[in-house]
Amino acid sequence: MSDKIQAIRGMNDILPDDLDCWQFLEETAAEVFRLYGYREIRVPVVEKTELFARSIGQSTDIVEKEMYTFQDRNGDSLSLRPEGTAGVVRAALQNGMLHNAVHRLWYTGPMFRHERPQKGRYRQFHQIGLEAFGMAEAELDAEVIALTDALWKKLGISDVVLQLNSLGTRVSRQRYRDALTEFYTGHRERLDEDSLRRLDSNPLRILDSKDRQVSELNRAAPSILDYLDDDSAEHFARVRELLDDLGVVYTVNPGLVRGLDYYTRSVFEWTTDELGAQSAICGGGRYDGLVETLGGKPTPAIGFGIGKERLIELMKIQSCCEPASMLDVYIVQSGDAAAKAGMRLAGQLRENGLRTLCNVGSTGFKSQLKRADRSGAAIAVILGEDELANGMVTIKELATGEQSTASMDQLVDVLHQRL
Ligand code: HAM
């Protein structure tokens, strides 16, 4: 026997039992997005590597060491998308959607990052997210954040915390970066190897360090909020005021810098204590400079991405995934004539909206009824030779074992009443 081929590390199968919960999440999110005026967009999973390098930033972990990058047969450098924003901006630009227009777009699909796999962190994972273009006002930031809050409520999720920060403009962030560099340079001896590397390339990322000594040092680091330009400070105050007014609870966390370079002004993350180290279920923020970086006219924008695996894990912990019953009716039949009648009846029931399986194969009633039990159907409809001759069927409620008879003509009505 040859070896079984295994899936790639960090890339998971999503099995039918779990998919009930995935679909509940997807349908609920799509419904909430629609209520806020968002429309779906679908973009390729593979893009030119340069798109991600220019958007996410050359010195970010994602671009430096996590992308699945390869040369295609033409010699072009391509990458599997590590996130959704860059592709959506490229598509909106390329399709001429951003000329003085307002767009609210949502998307979902697989993303790829070559990270060290662990619980809640995978190499193929799935995001559902949205991007809104053409509105610079704080009202939009508040609306987008309030939408996420509404989504958790609709899914039945509780005990998630909203962290909020402002990263200002590129200019104000450069001033903050200089101050941070000076601060960390003065405490070089307390930095671990990773932070020392980041000191030159991306000092803001040191604020995210998990190293104990560096975390302690970070408490004394300058706060980005002291370096905001006046307009950004005003914008941030307005976002907070609007969230307060909408009753959306948040914590201001000046250490929240996010792992992608395109952000300006508001950034946010929703976290939970219930998932261990990978605690962020949703992250996003404003990126007013990205469209221009990618060759478009200056266009304000904001968005977020939800990690579906993490959110589903949390939904399971909090019992938010209803076990969906997959079947209504299982038809049990015996004999050639009954097999034909069973298939015709199954078609008729399906036409009337009843999810129906007709037993395949000629086993006895007893083993068919066992299969019916295991199928998850609510009702078994039993077709025997005698019943067929009289135009009658037996109905068995699988939960209680209660049996009754009904005429074929009235079966659809009777089943609808019972289900
Ligand atoms: P992100 O914070 O990199 O942002 O990812 C968003 C979410 O995706 C995270 O909060 C997490 O739940 C999930 N996630 C990220 N990496 C993994 C992984 N390796 N395994 C499982 N889940 C993961 C973005 O991607 C931005 N594009 C969000 C955005 C949209 N900002 C503006 N618009």
Side-chain angles (χ1 to χ4, degrees):
M1 232 171 36
S2 26
D3 288 345
K4 284 188 195 138
I5 298 173
Q6 304 284 322
I8 296 166
R9 206 161 99 83
M11 304 203 179
N12 300 311
D13 303 310
I14 306 164
L15 301 177
D17 277 352
D18 273 346
L19 272 164
D20 290 337
C21 196
W22 280 70
Q23 284 166 357
F24 171 55
L25 162 60
E26 284 155 6
E27 282 158 19
T28 309
E31 192 186 325
V32 172
F33 294 164
R34 256 196 306 275
L35 287 173
Y36 281 77
Y38 284 78
R39 299 173 72 201
E40 189 182 355
I41 182 165
R42 299 186 186 185
V43 299
V45 172
V46 184
E47 298 271 2
K48 290 187 179 149
T49 303
E50 191 195 346
L51 173 69
F52 302 118
R54 248 157 78 183
S55 324
I56 301 167
Q58 197 67 58
S59 63
T60 55
D61 282 353
I62 298 179
V63 172
E64 250 182 10
K65 50 188 189 197
E66 292 172 0
M67 284 211 293
Y68 281 87
T69 296
F70 58 95
Q71 269 195 1
D72 78 351
R73 289 175 191 276
N74 303 329
D76 296 328
S77 178
L78 306 182
S79 295
L80 300 187
R81 62 179 180 197
E83 58 103 52
T85 310
V88 171
V89 173
R90 188 221 22 87
L93 258 175
Q94 185 173 341
N95 292 289
M97 294 167 72
L98 298 181
H99 298 306
N100 303 320
V102 162
H103 282 284
R104 289 177 163 89
L105 305 171
W106 72 268
Y107 56 89
T108 186
M111 310 290 162
F112 303 84
R113 295 184 194 176
H114 196 275
E115 298 191 78
R116 200 163 53 77
Q118 51 181 281
K119 186 169 165 285
R121 190 200 269 169
Y122 309 106
R123 289 183 173 170
Q124 174 173 325
F125 61 97
H126 298 77
Q127 285 185 351
I128 189 160
L130 58 78
E131 315 292 347
F133 297 100
M135 293 157 280
E137 292 75 14
E139 279 72 9
L140 185 67
D141 306 38
E143 184 187 273
V144 163
I145 294 170
L147 179 159
T148 53
D149 190 53
L151 176 58
W152 313 145
K153 294 210 170 95
K154 195 120 190 169
L155 291 169
I157 295 270
S158 54
D159 298 328
V160 281
V161 174
L162 172 61
Q163 316 219 27
L164 191 64
N165 193 20
S166 175
L167 299 182
T169 60
R170 286 196 176 171
V171 176
S172 73
R173 195 154 69 176
Q174 185 58 47
R175 280 196 296 129
Y176 177 60
R177 198 186 146 122
D178 294 344
L180 263 190
T181 307
E182 198 183 318
F183 170 77
Y184 287 126
T185 307
H187 295 90
R188 254 177 181 282
E189 72 292 347
R190 294 173 68 182
L191 296 180
D192 64 335
E193 204 180 308
D194 210 29
S195 302
L196 278 172
R197 201 175 47 79
R198 284 172 167 163
L199 182 54
D200 291 328
S201 59
N202 205 345
L204 267 73
R205 299 294 304 162
I206 302 178
L207 292 169
D208 260 355
S209 173
K210 299 274 183 293
D211 181 87
R212 198 180 46 81
Q213 211 179 340
V214 179
S215 307
E216 245 165 56
L217 179 63
N218 282 342
R219 275 190 230 134
S223 162
I224 195 163
L225 296 176
D226 295 331
Y227 287 80
L228 294 184
D229 55 288
D230 290 349
D231 285 350
S232 294
E234 204 176 295
H235 183 272
F236 190 45
R238 179 78 178 151
V239 172
R240 295 194 319 252
E241 183 188 326
L242 291 162
L243 289 176
D244 290 339
D245 187 62
L246 291 168
V248 178
V249 181
Y250 56 84
T251 326
V252 173
N253 174 3
L256 178 71
V257 287
R258 308 272 303 128
L260 306 98
D261 280 353
Y262 48 60
Y263 291 111
T264 52
R265 299 199 166 167
S266 310
V267 288
F268 61 96
E269 250 173 44
W270 284 93
T271 58
T272 165
D273 284 342
E274 294 172 46
L275 292 179
Q278 306 309 315
S279 58
I281 55 165
C282 169
R286 194 168 260 292
Y287 51 95
D288 292 343
L290 181 58
V291 173
E292 200 179 1
T293 305
L294 293 178
K297 290 212 191 99
T299 307
I302 182 172
F304 64 77
I306 293 169
K308 281 160 104 178
E309 281 82 356
R310 292 187 195 172
L311 182 57
I312 281 166
E313 192 56 35
L314 186 62
M315 287 165 67
K316 283 190 192 161
I317 292 171
Q318 299 192 354
S319 307
C320 303
C321 306
E322 303 271 323
S325 139
M326 205 193 73
L327 267 190
D328 298 314
V329 179
Y330 193 101
I331 299 177
V332 170
Q333 41 76 16
S334 171
D336 279 354
K340 281 186 191 153
M343 288 182 78
R344 282 198 309 272
L345 178 63
Q348 205 189 336
L349 298 187
R350 291 176 192 131
E351 271 168 28
N352 284 281
L354 296 167
R355 296 165 300 177
T356 306
L357 270 194
C358 182
N359 189 75
V360 175
S362 54
T363 49
F365 276 133
K366 216 169 144 192
S367 72
Q368 289 192 41
L369 280 168
K370 266 196 199 141
R371 283 194 197 169
D373 267 328
R374 261 185 268 131
S375 75
I379 287 178
V381 170
I382 303 166
L383 289 184
E385 304 281 338
D386 295 347
E387 280 120 328
L388 265 186
N390 304 328
M392 300 293 285
V393 295
T394 301
I395 296 175
K396 180 174 179 187
E397 307 254 357
L398 289 163
T400 59
E402 208 178 294
Q403 292 203 16
S404 54
T405 51
S407 77
M408 280 280 213
D409 302 342
Q410 289 166 351
L411 184 59
V412 171
D413 289 341
V414 173
L415 289 173
H416 274 302
Q417 278 165 20
R418 299 276 178 93
L419 287 162

